[in-house]
Amino acid sequence: MTPSPQSSPQPSPQSKTEHRSGLAYGITAYGLWGLFPLYWPLLEPASATEILAHRMLWSLVAVVLVLLVLRRWAWLGPLLRQPRRLGLIALAATVISVNWGLYIWGVNSGHVVETSLGYFINPLVSIAFGVLLLRERLRPAQWSAVAVGTVAVVILAVGYGRVPWIALTLAFSFAIYGLIKKRVGLDGLESLAAETTVQFLPALGFLLFLSSRGENSFATEGTGHALLLASCGLATAVPLICFGGAAVRLPLSTIGLLQYLAPTFQFVLGLVAFHEAMPPERWAGFVLVWLALAILTWDALHTARRSRRALAAARNGARASDKPTSKPKPTPESESEPESESESESSPA
């Protein structure tokens, strides 16, 4: 039995396998990012700035090795001939350095829950940037989400007794970083290689300065500690590679849902593993943030579903218009003796 033209095709076993692989990659990527609060304290007694410098240094080593294995160097030549893109990469490297450094400091100084808040509200900040900088037009649901998120920040400021500057700095710096990367137009691994190349010399200089003062824990805390610091490169590169594997296998709507895994893990770790306080005002603020994200997610899924239906309808319409209209062949009698409409309807076949 042949399927009707309007029946949707069933996904092939290969596409199902690709989807499952994409989910595995995505969950691994965001899961690892969400577990970072367990990793950074292992690097103490290194300070946040020393950890940051090692992350810059060893991330370049790790990503260069990956690119050597994959033989992905075609992007480098055109990039070096474009000073404007090089300037944007330097700016992106500076902004992500602020984000990385503050995140490490926030985790190791007992602000895990607030760092998770930063990545929860990041989508709202990105939407605000789209309106203010890119002149994008928001749908009513997106306006509602931004309004609810703004109220949440005010309530959290009351709950903390101060503006939640760690969360806001993380959210704004990551949104700015995303905006710059959009203009640079490099894939994840290539972008990380370019940015850590910019970071490499300042990081190396800072570590040499610490060594000259006898404050570089890499050389004073034993082999195990040195290996943990060197593993910063893998800790940065592996989730990014997994994210790349997910991005090419999953629709953007699924990636958008998976991105909330990381701050959720961080939030749970802040409560369960680090026993951070959550008074009622903070709970109220977080609930409003989650409400705003729920509105955003519903709107994104609803819009994507409506777009798919419109695309399917357009394709069906195009197929229908391409079909030739077949006319019945006239019989010899009809050619020789034309009949009236009433006679032709009552005549036997």
Side-chain angles (χ1 to χ4, degrees):
M1 180 179 178
T2 58
S4 63
Q6 296 181 350
S7 62
S8 59
Q10 295 297 321
S12 64
Q14 183 178 1
S15 65
K16 289 182 178 180
T17 302
E18 287 286 300
H19 187 80
R20 284 196 294 266
S21 300
L23 281 176
Y25 279 122
I27 292 171
T28 301
Y30 286 105
L32 289 173
W33 281 324
L35 294 175
F36 269 2
L38 296 177
Y39 174 66
W40 302 128
L42 298 177
L43 306 183
E44 293 178 331
S47 64
T49 50
E50 183 185 351
I51 295 171
L52 174 63
H54 278 287
R55 186 178 189 184
M56 296 172 175
L57 189 75
W58 297 107
S59 291
L60 178 61
V61 174
V63 75
V64 166
L65 289 175
V66 173
L67 290 174
L68 282 173
V69 172
L70 298 178
R71 298 182 180 180
R72 285 167 56 174
W73 299 105
W75 55 276
L76 189 56
L79 177 63
L80 294 175
R81 294 190 292 270
Q82 296 176 292
R84 182 176 177 277
R85 290 180 77 196
L86 290 174
L88 289 173
I89 286 172
L91 182 58
T94 302
V95 173
I96 200 61
S97 298
V98 172
N99 184 275
W100 284 0
L102 182 59
Y103 178 59
I104 295 168
W105 177 85
V107 168
N108 285 0
S109 58
H111 299 284
V112 176
V113 170
E114 189 175 349
T115 61
S116 74
L117 174 64
Y119 293 108
F120 272 128
I121 65 177
N122 171 251
L124 302 174
V125 176
S126 296
I127 288 175
F129 278 9
V131 174
L132 298 175
L133 303 179
L134 303 180
R135 305 299 181 187
E136 295 177 354
R137 298 182 63 182
L138 297 188
R139 295 181 293 273
Q142 292 175 312
W143 278 116
S144 300
V146 172
V148 172
T150 303
V151 173
V153 171
V154 173
I155 292 176
L156 285 165
V158 173
Y160 277 104
R162 58 173 174 81
V163 174
W165 65 271
I166 297 174
L168 291 176
T169 305
L170 289 175
F172 275 86
S173 61
F174 203 71
I176 294 171
Y177 176 67
L179 187 65
I180 298 170
K181 280 174 67 71
K182 185 176 181 180
R183 296 183 179 273
V184 171
L186 280 178
D187 290 338
L189 277 176
E190 288 85 346
S191 179
L192 181 63
E195 292 156 17
T196 50
T197 299
V198 174
Q199 295 169 333
F200 181 81
L201 286 179
L204 181 61
F206 178 73
L207 292 174
L208 291 176
F209 169 74
L210 289 181
S211 297
S212 68
R213 295 165 57 101
E215 298 174 1
N216 191 343
S217 65
F218 185 85
T220 60
E221 295 295 325
T223 304
H225 181 72
L227 290 175
L228 280 173
L229 285 172
S231 67
C232 284
L234 288 176
T236 301
V238 170
L240 189 64
I241 294 170
C242 292
F243 174 78
V248 298
R249 291 172 172 84
L250 295 175
L252 285 176
S253 57
T254 305
I255 294 289
L257 292 175
L258 288 176
Q259 72 173 331
Y260 299 126
L261 282 178
T264 300
F265 283 6
Q266 295 164 13
F267 177 78
V268 172
L269 286 174
L271 295 182
V272 176
F274 296 94
H275 308 291
E276 294 186 13
M278 278 291 290
E281 298 87 353
R282 293 184 194 175
W283 275 114
F286 268 90
V287 168
L288 285 177
V289 169
W290 295 332
L291 174 61
L293 295 178
I295 295 172
L296 274 186
T297 302
W298 173 85
D299 177 69
L301 293 176
H302 177 72
T303 303
R305 185 162 51 246
R306 189 169 54 188
S307 299
R308 285 195 299 268
R309 288 175 180 172
L311 182 60
R315 286 176 177 172
N316 289 336
R319 290 171 184 170
S321 63
D322 289 341
K323 289 181 180 180
T325 56
S326 59
K327 296 181 179 180
K329 292 182 180 180
T331 60
E333 293 81 5
S334 64
E335 289 181 353
S336 57
E337 300 178 3
E339 298 174 342
S340 67
E341 184 177 356
S342 60
E343 288 176 334
S344 64
E345 287 176 353
S346 60
S347 63

